[in-house]
Amino acid sequence: MKTIEVKTGRPYNIYIEHGIIKSAGSYVRAVSKAVRAVIVSDSNVAPLYSEAVEASLKSEGFETSVFVFEAGEERKRLSTIEKMYDHFYEHNITRTDIIVALGGGVTGDMAGFAAASYLRGIDFVQIPTTLLSQVDSSVGGKTGVDLPGGKNLVGAFWQPVVVLIDPDTLSTLPRRYFNDGMGEVIKYGCIKSPGLFGRLETENAEDILDDIISESVSIKRDVVEHDERDTGERAILNFGHTFGHALEKLHGYSGISHGEAVALGALMLTRITEEKGITEPGTSERILSLLKKYDMPTETKFTLSQIVDATRGDKKSSGKGLSFIFLSEIGTCFINKIGTDKLVDFFCADNPMGQ
């Protein structure tokens, strides 16, 4: 077992172990005296794992119930959260009870936000079952839902009390969902770890899965500990996300996954910064090669002008500017704020992709 301690304002442990999902109840009981536990899951994950998790929770004395919503990013809305609240109320959930998020990033984000806001805050557990949620969204305490205008525009910082990562759950994923998670893994290599990036180039991800999960989580842990509330350094975790969220918005939150959009956004951004002499030559070609290796999209039907326009209203806006993460080279990045009135000139002027 790998244990990673997260020393945020509310410290917690992340446990990485094959088969840990079957003994989830004991880990939850170790951090909670709750009487009741609600498992929140989606229609894809619940049939696979909710029965085992519920049985484990019951064995530790929890009174359990399960809330299942229809799977899909398009369900990541306040309307779904309201249904969760109704379930919590109907099952007499109190401030001393606990919510268990069982599923991917959408499940974790929504269950975490519901926990943060119901009765002004109750504890929750993350049991991520996708690669993307295991390496990224389950760690760090960001929770939320989408609005028609953009991704995660409503949310809260609310740290889980424990995170249980079971790599065995990835064996049930369709290939595309695994590749989706690789978008975030590639991001970590780009911003912080040339060694990880190099291994992704020379080895098969499936063969080094435990190492990938552990290093990605450790990188995010280190960044979050320095900037829990996303006021400075934590912004580097958004590499590729500004264009990525714009692509998701343009696609109507269907047809392109979050990880695919982030990876494509990182590629597009790095091509531009490389052309401007900001990024080491050849960097975008290395990113392109990894995207091809892991069967992710490398082009889009939308113009650069459309993508830049879709970044307006992004949650990373502050004042009259929008922060972008630029690479100097693989493993080294920095934050660059561009005025909203300068976005088109910076990204689209003299760029054939801008038309």
Side-chain angles (χ1 to χ4, degrees), residues 230 235 238 241-242 245 313-318 321-323 337:
D230 201 7
N238 290 321
H241 281 62
T242 303
H245 286 169
D314 189 281
K315 70 180 189 304
K316 292 176 287 300
S317 299
S318 60
L322 188 59
S323 294
K337 188 171 183 178

Side-chain angles (χ1 to χ4, degrees), residues 88-110:
F88 297 167
Y89 178 79
E90 290 166 3
H91 289 81
N92 301 311
I93 299 303
T94 70
R95 283 184 179 176
T96 57
D97 291 320
I98 197 160
I99 309 303
V100 178
L102 174 66
V106 170
T107 298
D109 283 2
M110 287 204 298

Side-chain angles (χ1 to χ4, degrees), residues 134-206:
Q134 290 181 356
V135 301
D136 188 73
S137 62
S138 66
V139 180
K142 280 189 177 181
T143 71
V145 295
D146 303 337
L147 294 180
K151 290 264 295 182
N152 299 320
L153 293 181
V154 177
F157 289 97
W158 192 246
Q159 301 292 349
V161 292
V162 69
V163 179
L164 307 176
I165 297 177
D166 187 343
D168 289 346
T169 62
L170 304 183
S171 64
T172 61
L173 289 177
R175 180 69 188 187
R176 185 185 177 193
Y177 286 95
F178 181 85
N179 294 341
D180 175 45
M182 288 303 299
E184 292 285 0
V185 175
I186 291 168
K187 175 199 77 176
Y188 285 117
C190 284
I191 64 172
K192 277 285 187 180
S193 179
L196 174 61
F197 195 96
R199 292 191 71 182
L200 296 177
E201 290 178 307
T202 59
E203 302 179 64
N204 293 320
E206 294 92 335

Side-chain angles (χ1 to χ4, degrees), residues 122-284:
I122 57 180
D123 288 346
F124 89 111
V125 174
Q126 287 273 21
I127 307 180
T129 60
T130 64
L131 182 59
L132 187 147
S133 59
Q134 290 181 356
V135 301
D136 188 73
S137 62
S138 66
V139 180
K142 280 189 177 181
T143 71
V145 295
D146 303 337
L147 294 180
K151 290 264 295 182
N152 299 320
L153 293 181
V154 177
F157 289 97
W158 192 246
Q159 301 292 349
V161 292
V162 69
V163 179
L164 307 176
I165 297 177
D166 187 343
D168 289 346
T169 62
L170 304 183
S171 64
T172 61
L173 289 177
R175 180 69 188 187
R176 185 185 177 193
Y177 286 95
F178 181 85
N179 294 341
D180 175 45
M182 288 303 299
E184 292 285 0
V185 175
I186 291 168
K187 175 199 77 176
Y188 285 117
C190 284
I191 64 172
K192 277 285 187 180
S193 179
L196 174 61
F197 195 96
R199 292 191 71 182
L200 296 177
E201 290 178 307
T202 59
E203 302 179 64
N204 293 320
E206 294 92 335
D207 297 336
I208 55 171
L209 193 54
D210 288 12
D211 290 347
I212 284 174
I213 295 171
S214 178
E215 181 161 3
S216 297
V217 169
S218 295
I219 291 171
K220 184 162 189 180
R221 182 272 314 271
D222 292 346
V223 173
V224 168
E225 284 184 347
H226 288 115
D227 182 19
E228 181 176 354
R229 310 261 325 164
D230 201 7
T231 59
E233 180 190 356
R234 187 166 177 167
I236 67 173
L237 299 174
N238 290 321
F239 175 61
H241 281 62
T242 303
F243 278 3
H245 286 169
L247 286 166
E248 289 182 88
K249 181 179 177 180
L250 290 168
H251 278 271
Y253 302 105
S254 63
I256 189 170
S257 70
H258 176 69
E260 290 173 334
V262 166
L264 182 53
L267 173 63
M268 296 179 68
L269 179 66
T270 303
R271 279 175 170 164
I272 295 168
T273 57
E274 195 173 317
E275 289 171 0
K276 291 180 176 291
I278 297 169
T279 304
E280 182 179 59
T283 302
S284 62

Side-chain angles (χ1 to χ4, degrees), residues 274-326:
E274 195 173 317
E275 289 171 0
K276 291 180 176 291
I278 297 169
T279 304
E280 182 179 59
T283 302
S284 62
E285 187 62 33
R286 291 181 69 187
I287 295 174
L288 173 63
S289 295
L290 273 190
L291 266 57
K292 288 180 177 179
K293 180 176 179 179
Y294 294 104
D295 300 319
M296 284 183 278
T298 58
E299 55 187 27
T300 177
K301 64 182 179 181
F302 297 104
T303 67
L304 191 53
S305 292
Q306 289 175 306
I307 294 168
V308 169
D309 186 62
T311 65
R312 302 180 193 281
D314 189 281
K315 70 180 189 304
K316 292 176 287 300
S317 299
S318 60
K320 295 184 178 180
L322 188 59
S323 294
F324 288 84
I325 312 307
F326 293 167

